[in-house]
Amino acid sequence: MTAADSRSLKTDQDQDETTRAAEPAAVSEREARQTAEAAREAEWRKPSFGKQLFLGRLRLDLIDPWPTPSAESVAEAERFVARVAEYAEAHIDNAQIERDALIPDDVLRGLADLGAFGMKIDKKYGGLGLSTHGYCQALTMLASANSSVSALLSAHQSIGVPQPLKLFGTEEQKSRFLPRLAAGEISAFLLTEPDVGSDPARLATTAEPVDGGYRLNGLKLWATNGTVADLLVVMAQVPRSEGHRGGITAFVVEADSSGITVERRNAFLGLRGLENSLTRFHDVFVPAENVIGREGQGLKIALTTLNTGRLSLPAVCVAAGKYCLRVAREWSGARVQWGRPVGQHEAIATKIAFIAATTYGLEAMLTLSCLLADDESNDIRIEAALVKLYASEMAWRMADETLQIRGGRGYETAESLAARGERATPVEQVLRDLRINRVFEGSTEIMHLFVAREAVDAHLAVAGDIIDPDATVGRKARAGVKAGGFYARWLPALAVGKGQLPRGYAEFGRLATHLRYVERASRRLARDTFYGMARWQGRMERKQAFLGRVVDIGAELFAMSAACTRARAEGTAEGWELADLFCHQARVRVDALFTALWDNSDARDAAAARKVLDGRYASLEAGILAHDDDRPWVAPWSTGPSEATDVRRRLRR
Ligand SMILES: Cc1cc2nc3c(=O)[nH]c(=O)nc-3n(C[C@H](O)[C@H](O)[C@H](O)COP(=O)(O)OP(=O)(O)OC[C@H]3O[C@@H](n4cnc5c(N)ncnc54)[C@H](O)[C@@H]3O)c2cc1C
């Protein structure tokens, strides 16, 4: 059966049987963790700079010398980025997209004609076959034109159909779908549901096996591109049955299949041009040949896809950093208050220096991760997660500081500024557009847990049973012996290192001092992580504030390493200066994080939060309007046919 045969399998008579209130699945914390753990890629087949860093080993040899892409791939990317820039300059009108909350069809067509929908798709299937680095450079350029445009292209290629097919698709699936996508058909990724955000174990959309395929029922929330997409990746639960191992499974679904209704286009704080949907599936037939990978592999596919897919958000953040730097430079030099350009007042100068240094560090981190992904010699899952986490947090801070530097004008919309005859600088839009990066494709809190899980993996591998509450006494004892041997070798290795040698990393000139710091800090980080494990054992996973700081320190150390190796590779005076500045600033942050590892109010905060949740401090909320609203926090929903009008936007092609 082909996609063209897609049809609604239910008749009106049996509708009552299938219309049921979707109760949120009762999933315990342990089950939720088991689901995430099962989806985790447990093997490490290639070296990982990030993993070694958390183990106290600064493996600079894995990132220095700076990876060199082939001249051909560099030239290809440069040519494409230049064409994208020219097109964006002439045709992408940020003010119009912001005003109309819409990316015009002809812009999407123009981008398709350029090949922008196939940047990551192999040439064999009609795509451009750009390297990860080239793809991210193009996204950075497009994000500087309009963030909704880059979000559309990034969701289409980084999490939509092309990437999972590239990694897990069959040859038949690739030849069937990729040429369409490369030519400009749009894809979306549908995992989130009203009751499923960070915790996929609660997934309620079902895919019931039927003759020749599956029948999908459910409701998917917040799918970027969902209102305009032609092809969807849908995550759904296949029930276990005879001949079906079941579990969360990924499907490619034709968006115009019978039974699919786009019930809403959602609107947000920023990204006003985003085409984001609430999509209902009612008895939607999907042919068996549209399963990506195998039944039960859905979450693993989603996570693996994100290993490199996560690099597209940082590309957008780098664009924001560059833009903020430009605004900060031009405005702070021109605006005079209290007898000087505001950039010469120290309070503003420190912000300018922060934006310049951070943009350099962030770009170094992103470029390095892209080049490592391209040369395929390293496993970059930790690096990509660190860049996503760090970039989304730092870009937000840079935009916030830029708004502050602009004073009242930072808070004013570009349209309002222009109406008064001033330069239309949309800093408030940058801030609004950036904010979501800390939430989607893995929220900051979830990225902390994701990286922490990998960072303590070495400990769990040897000492896992000691801290596993389910392990028997015998298993714990055996693990104790094994762990004793491991730590007897590992701990002493953390006492000394190249970072203590006065001439260590001398080849880095004035930056050597920073790499010595990174080396020492990496060992200290591993020791502190070990102390945490020893102290809290099975409760370690609940020490999220501690683990968050461990990961944040790792991110800073990775950023410093990337900045230094970039500066050495570039060999320019500006590069040395910016890397030096970035490292000085990062060291201040790292020192504060190390201090806070052991000197903090975490336990008090956790206890206080429990009291807040219990209502103990409710009196503090008095004195403002109650804003009573009886509606539920999460809208209940039922499976069954849609009662809404389909708001899918069909593009003129
Ligand atoms: C504009 C936009 C576009 C999106 N695009 C897509 C898309 O294309 N496809 C798609 O499938 N989804 C998409 N999403 C959904 C997005 O991925 C989710 O919003 C995100 O995963 C967080 O889930 P949630 O909002 O339900 O938050 P929740 O999971 O309800 O979390 C609420 C808060 O609790 C924190 N939290 C949750 N669990 C833990 C924990 N164990 N420990 C500590 N903190 C925790 C979270 O970090 C968050 O701060 C989009 C969302 C938006 C707003």
Side-chain angles (χ1 to χ4, degrees), residues 121 124-127 173-185:
I121 296 175
K124 180 176 164 192
Y125 304 109
Q173 288 172 330
K174 290 179 193 174
S175 341
R176 193 151 47 103
F177 297 120
L178 293 180
R180 289 170 54 187
L181 296 162
E185 288 195 27

PDB file of all heavy atoms in Angstrom, residues 121 124-127 173-185:
ATOM      1  N   ILE A 121      20.533  17.544   2.832  1.00  0.00           N
ATOM      2  CA  ILE A 121      20.188  16.318   2.097  1.00  0.00           C
ATOM      3  C   ILE A 121      21.275  16.017   1.060  1.00  0.00           C
ATOM      4  O   ILE A 121      21.762  16.924   0.376  1.00  0.00           O
ATOM      5  CB  ILE A 121      18.797  16.479   1.433  1.00  0.00           C
ATOM      6  CG1 ILE A 121      17.731  16.643   2.533  1.00  0.00           C
ATOM      7  CG2 ILE A 121      18.468  15.318   0.525  1.00  0.00           C
ATOM      8  CD1 ILE A 121      16.333  16.940   2.040  1.00  0.00           C
ATOM      9  N   LYS A 124      22.811  13.092  -3.976  1.00  0.00           N
ATOM     10  CA  LYS A 124      22.193  11.939  -4.632  1.00  0.00           C
ATOM     11  C   LYS A 124      20.660  12.030  -4.637  1.00  0.00           C
ATOM     12  O   LYS A 124      19.985  11.510  -5.515  1.00  0.00           O
ATOM     13  CB  LYS A 124      22.649  10.720  -3.834  1.00  0.00           C
ATOM     14  CG  LYS A 124      22.185   9.406  -4.243  1.00  0.00           C
ATOM     15  CD  LYS A 124      22.865   8.370  -3.341  1.00  0.00           C
ATOM     16  CE  LYS A 124      22.131   7.038  -3.449  1.00  0.00           C
ATOM     17  NZ  LYS A 124      22.548   6.113  -2.420  1.00  0.00           N
ATOM     18  N   TYR A 125      20.096  12.703  -3.605  1.00  0.00           N
ATOM     19  CA  TYR A 125      18.636  12.818  -3.513  1.00  0.00           C
ATOM     20  C   TYR A 125      18.163  14.230  -3.860  1.00  0.00           C
ATOM     21  O   TYR A 125      17.073  14.643  -3.489  1.00  0.00           O
ATOM     22  CB  TYR A 125      18.161  12.441  -2.104  1.00  0.00           C
ATOM     23  CG  TYR A 125      18.607  11.071  -1.688  1.00  0.00           C
ATOM     24  CD1 TYR A 125      19.595  10.912  -0.712  1.00  0.00           C
ATOM     25  CD2 TYR A 125      18.075   9.935  -2.285  1.00  0.00           C
ATOM     26  CE1 TYR A 125      20.028   9.652  -0.342  1.00  0.00           C
ATOM     27  CE2 TYR A 125      18.510   8.669  -1.921  1.00  0.00           C
ATOM     28  CZ  TYR A 125      19.489   8.538  -0.949  1.00  0.00           C
ATOM     29  OH  TYR A 125      19.906   7.295  -0.597  1.00  0.00           O
ATOM     30  N   GLY A 126      19.002  14.974  -4.530  1.00  0.00           N
ATOM     31  CA  GLY A 126      18.574  16.303  -4.976  1.00  0.00           C
ATOM     32  C   GLY A 126      18.920  17.432  -4.027  1.00  0.00           C
ATOM     33  O   GLY A 126      18.552  18.582  -4.259  1.00  0.00           O
ATOM     34  N   GLY A 127      19.610  17.111  -2.920  1.00  0.00           N
ATOM     35  CA  GLY A 127      19.959  18.160  -1.957  1.00  0.00           C
ATOM     36  C   GLY A 127      21.305  18.789  -2.272  1.00  0.00           C
ATOM     37  O   GLY A 127      21.947  18.465  -3.278  1.00  0.00           O
ATOM     38  N   GLN A 173      13.008   4.428   1.438  1.00  0.00           N
ATOM     39  CA  GLN A 173      12.404   5.622   2.069  1.00  0.00           C
ATOM     40  C   GLN A 173      13.135   6.884   1.632  1.00  0.00           C
ATOM     41  O   GLN A 173      12.526   7.912   1.340  1.00  0.00           O
ATOM     42  CB  GLN A 173      12.469   5.499   3.600  1.00  0.00           C
ATOM     43  CG  GLN A 173      11.503   4.475   4.163  1.00  0.00           C
ATOM     44  CD  GLN A 173      11.714   4.236   5.653  1.00  0.00           C
ATOM     45  OE1 GLN A 173      12.825   4.367   6.171  1.00  0.00           O
ATOM     46  NE2 GLN A 173      10.646   3.879   6.345  1.00  0.00           N
ATOM     47  N   LYS A 174      14.467   6.776   1.580  1.00  0.00           N
ATOM     48  CA  LYS A 174      15.248   7.962   1.183  1.00  0.00           C
ATOM     49  C   LYS A 174      14.882   8.384  -0.236  1.00  0.00           C
ATOM     50  O   LYS A 174      14.662   9.559  -0.509  1.00  0.00           O
ATOM     51  CB  LYS A 174      16.745   7.660   1.282  1.00  0.00           C
ATOM     52  CG  LYS A 174      17.225   7.510   2.710  1.00  0.00           C
ATOM     53  CD  LYS A 174      18.708   7.185   2.745  1.00  0.00           C
ATOM     54  CE  LYS A 174      19.113   6.733   4.132  1.00  0.00           C
ATOM     55  NZ  LYS A 174      20.459   6.265   4.243  1.00  0.00           N
ATOM     56  N   SER A 175      14.813   7.411  -1.156  1.00  0.00           N
ATOM     57  CA  SER A 175      14.528   7.799  -2.540  1.00  0.00           C
ATOM     58  C   SER A 175      13.093   8.298  -2.679  1.00  0.00           C
ATOM     59  O   SER A 175      12.784   9.098  -3.553  1.00  0.00           O
ATOM     60  CB  SER A 175      14.709   6.661  -3.532  1.00  0.00           C
ATOM     61  OG  SER A 175      15.477   5.668  -3.042  1.00  0.00           O
ATOM     62  N   ARG A 176      12.197   7.808  -1.837  1.00  0.00           N
ATOM     63  CA  ARG A 176      10.792   8.219  -1.931  1.00  0.00           C
ATOM     64  C   ARG A 176      10.586   9.629  -1.370  1.00  0.00           C
ATOM     65  O   ARG A 176       9.862  10.430  -1.943  1.00  0.00           O
ATOM     66  CB  ARG A 176       9.940   7.209  -1.148  1.00  0.00           C
ATOM     67  CG  ARG A 176       8.459   7.299  -1.374  1.00  0.00           C
ATOM     68  CD  ARG A 176       7.761   5.937  -1.198  1.00  0.00           C
ATOM     69  NE  ARG A 176       8.145   5.219  -0.005  1.00  0.00           N
ATOM     70  CZ  ARG A 176       7.401   5.134   1.102  1.00  0.00           C
ATOM     71  NH1 ARG A 176       6.242   5.746   1.159  1.00  0.00           N
ATOM     72  NH2 ARG A 176       7.804   4.428   2.134  1.00  0.00           N
ATOM     73  N   PHE A 177      11.223   9.936  -0.237  1.00  0.00           N
ATOM     74  CA  PHE A 177      10.891  11.201   0.441  1.00  0.00           C
ATOM     75  C   PHE A 177      11.907  12.331   0.238  1.00  0.00           C
ATOM     76  O   PHE A 177      11.531  13.496   0.146  1.00  0.00           O
ATOM     77  CB  PHE A 177      10.734  10.968   1.947  1.00  0.00           C
ATOM     78  CG  PHE A 177       9.597  10.051   2.301  1.00  0.00           C
ATOM     79  CD1 PHE A 177       9.817   8.867   2.993  1.00  0.00           C
ATOM     80  CD2 PHE A 177       8.292  10.369   1.935  1.00  0.00           C
ATOM     81  CE1 PHE A 177       8.769   8.019   3.318  1.00  0.00           C
ATOM     82  CE2 PHE A 177       7.226   9.532   2.264  1.00  0.00           C
ATOM     83  CZ  PHE A 177       7.474   8.354   2.959  1.00  0.00           C
ATOM     84  N   LEU A 178      13.199  11.986   0.224  1.00  0.00           N
ATOM     85  CA  LEU A 178      14.192  13.072   0.268  1.00  0.00           C
ATOM     86  C   LEU A 178      14.144  14.007  -0.946  1.00  0.00           C
ATOM     87  O   LEU A 178      14.247  15.233  -0.770  1.00  0.00           O
ATOM     88  CB  LEU A 178      15.597  12.494   0.473  1.00  0.00           C
ATOM     89  CG  LEU A 178      15.814  11.829   1.847  1.00  0.00           C
ATOM     90  CD1 LEU A 178      17.235  11.286   1.985  1.00  0.00           C
ATOM     91  CD2 LEU A 178      15.505  12.789   2.991  1.00  0.00           C
ATOM     92  N   PRO A 179      13.956  13.502  -2.175  1.00  0.00           N
ATOM     93  CA  PRO A 179      13.903  14.445  -3.305  1.00  0.00           C
ATOM     94  C   PRO A 179      12.761  15.456  -3.164  1.00  0.00           C
ATOM     95  O   PRO A 179      12.902  16.620  -3.509  1.00  0.00           O
ATOM     96  CB  PRO A 179      13.686  13.527  -4.518  1.00  0.00           C
ATOM     97  CG  PRO A 179      14.247  12.215  -4.094  1.00  0.00           C
ATOM     98  CD  PRO A 179      13.947  12.108  -2.632  1.00  0.00           C
ATOM     99  N   ARG A 180      11.637  15.011  -2.609  1.00  0.00           N
ATOM    100  CA  ARG A 180      10.510  15.953  -2.407  1.00  0.00           C
ATOM    101  C   ARG A 180      10.907  17.048  -1.418  1.00  0.00           C
ATOM    102  O   ARG A 180      10.602  18.224  -1.615  1.00  0.00           O
ATOM    103  CB  ARG A 180       9.308  15.181  -1.844  1.00  0.00           C
ATOM    104  CG  ARG A 180       8.644  14.257  -2.843  1.00  0.00           C
ATOM    105  CD  ARG A 180       7.612  13.345  -2.185  1.00  0.00           C
ATOM    106  NE  ARG A 180       6.607  14.071  -1.412  1.00  0.00           N
ATOM    107  CZ  ARG A 180       5.693  13.472  -0.641  1.00  0.00           C
ATOM    108  NH1 ARG A 180       5.633  12.160  -0.565  1.00  0.00           N
ATOM    109  NH2 ARG A 180       4.822  14.197   0.034  1.00  0.00           N
ATOM    110  N   LEU A 181      11.580  16.632  -0.356  1.00  0.00           N
ATOM    111  CA  LEU A 181      11.948  17.604   0.688  1.00  0.00           C
ATOM    112  C   LEU A 181      13.024  18.556   0.195  1.00  0.00           C
ATOM    113  O   LEU A 181      13.004  19.750   0.492  1.00  0.00           O
ATOM    114  CB  LEU A 181      12.406  16.864   1.943  1.00  0.00           C
ATOM    115  CG  LEU A 181      11.292  16.022   2.589  1.00  0.00           C
ATOM    116  CD1 LEU A 181      11.871  14.986   3.530  1.00  0.00           C
ATOM    117  CD2 LEU A 181      10.298  16.922   3.311  1.00  0.00           C
ATOM    118  N   ALA A 182      13.964  18.019  -0.570  1.00  0.00           N
ATOM    119  CA  ALA A 182      15.032  18.873  -1.091  1.00  0.00           C
ATOM    120  C   ALA A 182      14.457  19.935  -2.025  1.00  0.00           C
ATOM    121  O   ALA A 182      14.959  21.055  -2.118  1.00  0.00           O
ATOM    122  CB  ALA A 182      16.064  18.021  -1.831  1.00  0.00           C
ATOM    123  N   ALA A 183      13.361  19.563  -2.697  1.00  0.00           N
ATOM    124  CA  ALA A 183      12.769  20.495  -3.672  1.00  0.00           C
ATOM    125  C   ALA A 183      11.891  21.554  -3.014  1.00  0.00           C
ATOM    126  O   ALA A 183      11.420  22.462  -3.693  1.00  0.00           O
ATOM    127  CB  ALA A 183      11.952  19.710  -4.697  1.00  0.00           C
ATOM    128  N   GLY A 184      11.629  21.432  -1.726  1.00  0.00           N
ATOM    129  CA  GLY A 184      10.882  22.512  -1.072  1.00  0.00           C
ATOM    130  C   GLY A 184       9.647  22.079  -0.314  1.00  0.00           C
ATOM    131  O   GLY A 184       8.972  22.910   0.296  1.00  0.00           O
ATOM    132  N   GLU A 185       9.323  20.758  -0.343  1.00  0.00           N
ATOM    133  CA  GLU A 185       8.236  20.334   0.544  1.00  0.00           C
ATOM    134  C   GLU A 185       8.763  20.444   1.978  1.00  0.00           C
ATOM    135  O   GLU A 185       9.957  20.267   2.232  1.00  0.00           O
ATOM    136  CB  GLU A 185       7.805  18.899   0.211  1.00  0.00           C
ATOM    137  CG  GLU A 185       7.059  18.830  -1.098  1.00  0.00           C
ATOM    138  CD  GLU A 185       6.302  17.518  -1.275  1.00  0.00           C
ATOM    139  OE1 GLU A 185       5.924  16.896  -0.274  1.00  0.00           O
ATOM    140  OE2 GLU A 185       6.110  17.133  -2.435  1.00  0.00           O
TER     141      GLU A 185
END
